[in-house]
Amino acid sequence: MNFGEPVLESINLFRYYERLETFELREEHAVTLADIAEKMFTGSRHARTILKQMNELNWIAWIPRVGRNQRSTLIRQFDRAEVKCAIALEWIQETKYDRALEFLDYDQAVFEQLLKQTSGAQITEGRVNVQLTYNR
């Protein structure tokens, strides 16, 4: 597997998620797969794959119904910022700090909060002190 693939995959999946923002957060929406595919600017098969991935990551709840033109249930679980932080947190845990900070649009406050969650960082006199663990 190419080193850049998982990062690119996360970014692309996030771009598709952004296209679902017209659906109210934490509310059930009865939609067809064709409706979703149209919103995502992709085909139905690819939309199904994307929805499955988002469902596995718990970004959405997707309850498909069998049959052509049947209305399935879509529930967006998290807002855009929460999903963005989840992706950045994953990269921070993989020590891809530069990618995480860039993905967060260089928002140092959010980056700092995520670092605290993963590395035991503390702020002392306006400076961030990071405690990193490593195998000996």
Side-chain angles (χ1 to χ4, degrees):
M1 182 181 290
N2 183 343
F3 178 74
E5 283 180 26
V7 172
L8 184 60
E9 185 177 304
S10 295
I11 293 171
N12 286 338
L13 196 59
F14 178 72
R15 288 181 184 148
Y16 283 116
Y17 185 78
E18 286 181 309
R19 295 174 187 163
L20 298 176
E21 281 190 308
T22 56
F23 295 106
E24 292 286 326
L25 198 59
R26 296 178 189 90
E27 299 225 355
E28 287 188 15
H29 300 278
V31 294
T32 64
L33 188 58
D35 294 338
I36 297 293
E38 187 176 316
K39 281 204 176 291
M40 291 184 176
F41 303 105
T42 190
S44 294
R45 284 185 178 183
H46 190 233
R48 186 181 300 118
T49 302
I50 292 167
L51 290 169
K52 184 179 176 185
Q53 289 175 336
M54 289 181 192
N55 192 52
E56 289 170 358
L57 293 168
N58 294 320
W59 295 358
I60 63 167
W62 173 247
I63 306 158
R65 299 229 10 227
V66 179
R68 187 169 285 189
N69 293 323
Q70 292 294 315
R71 298 220 172 252
S72 300
T73 302
L74 172 72
I75 304 168
R76 280 192 331 121
Q77 306 280 46
F78 301 103
D79 67 15
R80 180 181 181 277
E82 291 170 317
V83 171
K84 201 168 190 175
C85 285
I87 293 170
L89 185 60
E90 184 179 315
W91 290 342
I92 288 170
Q93 290 171 340
E94 295 171 1
T95 67
K96 297 175 184 172
Y97 303 113
D98 54 338
R99 287 190 177 142
L101 186 58
E102 180 182 354
F103 187 65
L104 293 169
D105 300 318
Y106 299 97
D107 186 335
Q108 291 181 359
V110 174
F111 184 74
E112 176 185 316
Q113 288 174 339
L114 296 175
L115 259 181
K116 283 181 186 179
Q117 290 178 22
T118 60
S119 61
Q122 298 176 345
I123 299 179
T124 309
E125 297 176 12
R127 302 182 89 181
V128 177
N129 298 313
V130 181
Q131 176 184 348
L132 300 174
T133 57
Y134 59 93
N135 295 331
R136 292 180 187 211

